[in-house]
């Protein structure tokens, strides 16, 4: 897949407010937050969209979710609650083509989304 702004964040070529990192996952605050807490969890090994994931990526996808839950617990957000969102392609609202999981918290989130 082609390089994206998120690959540049992984390589520390552009700044980001990084809040969590492990061997396979990096997380940083969204530039355009939609909630008091809005963090993006990305795999260091890039996939463009969820459509590009295969069985070989199953563990990595699980690790993204587990990283978000671990961060929410660390930050004291878990009991009150939070939302994770993964947008795919145009109708899903995806704008950056390096798969990422949004973690939103810190306010009551509406459902269903618009
Ligand atoms: P999505 O619409 O699901 O593709 O979400 C992409 C998000 O990425 C969007 O909420 C804004 C955020 N974003 C875009 N460019 C940057 C950037 O350069 N830095 C950071 N921290 N976030 C970015």
């Amino acid at each position: 897949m082609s390089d994206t702004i998120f690959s540049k964040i992984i390589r520390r070529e552009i700044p980001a407010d990084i809040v969590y990192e492990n061997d396979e996952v990096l997380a940083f605050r969204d530039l355009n937050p939609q909630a008091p807490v809005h963090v993006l969890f990305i795999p260091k090994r890039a996939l463009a969209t969820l459509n590009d994931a295969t069985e070989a990526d199953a563990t990595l996808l699980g690790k993204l979710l587990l990283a978000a839950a671990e961060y929410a617990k660390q930050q004291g957000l878990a009991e009150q609650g939070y939302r994770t969102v993964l947008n795919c392609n145009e109708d899903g609202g995806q704008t950056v083509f390096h798969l990422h999981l949004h973690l939103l918290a810190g306010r009551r989130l509406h459902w269903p989304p618009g």
Side-chain angles (χ1 to χ4, degrees):
M1 62 173 260
S2 59
D3 213 27
T4 69
I5 197 97
F6 290 176
S7 304
K8 293 185 172 66
I9 289 174
I10 291 169
R11 297 196 299 265
R12 274 42 174 198
E13 290 171 6
I14 62 164
D17 187 359
I18 293 170
V19 297
Y20 177 99
E21 183 168 18
N22 66 31
D23 286 351
E24 293 172 274
V25 175
L26 186 73
F28 50 89
R29 291 190 198 285
D30 195 293
L31 206 56
N32 182 24
Q34 303 301 312
V37 177
H38 188 169
V39 173
L40 303 173
F41 289 78
I42 67 172
K44 291 182 181 177
R45 174 162 60 80
L47 285 167
T49 79
L50 189 56
N51 290 334
D52 301 299
T54 68
E55 193 68 28
D57 301 307
T59 302
L60 183 60
L61 292 172
K63 285 182 178 180
L64 272 188
L65 282 165
L66 290 173
E70 185 185 335
Y71 177 77
K73 287 177 198 163
Q74 277 175 8
Q75 296 299 307
L77 302 165
E79 192 169 333
Q80 187 66 28
Y82 55 88
R83 181 172 297 163
T84 55
V85 175
L86 200 165
N87 297 327
C88 183
N89 278 344
E90 190 175 350
D91 280 1
Q94 184 173 8
T95 58
V96 179
F97 289 86
H98 179 131
L99 183 146
H100 50 280
L101 186 72
H102 296 255
L103 170 70
L104 299 145
R107 68 169 172 84
R108 181 60 65 93
L109 298 160
H110 305 294
W111 191 262

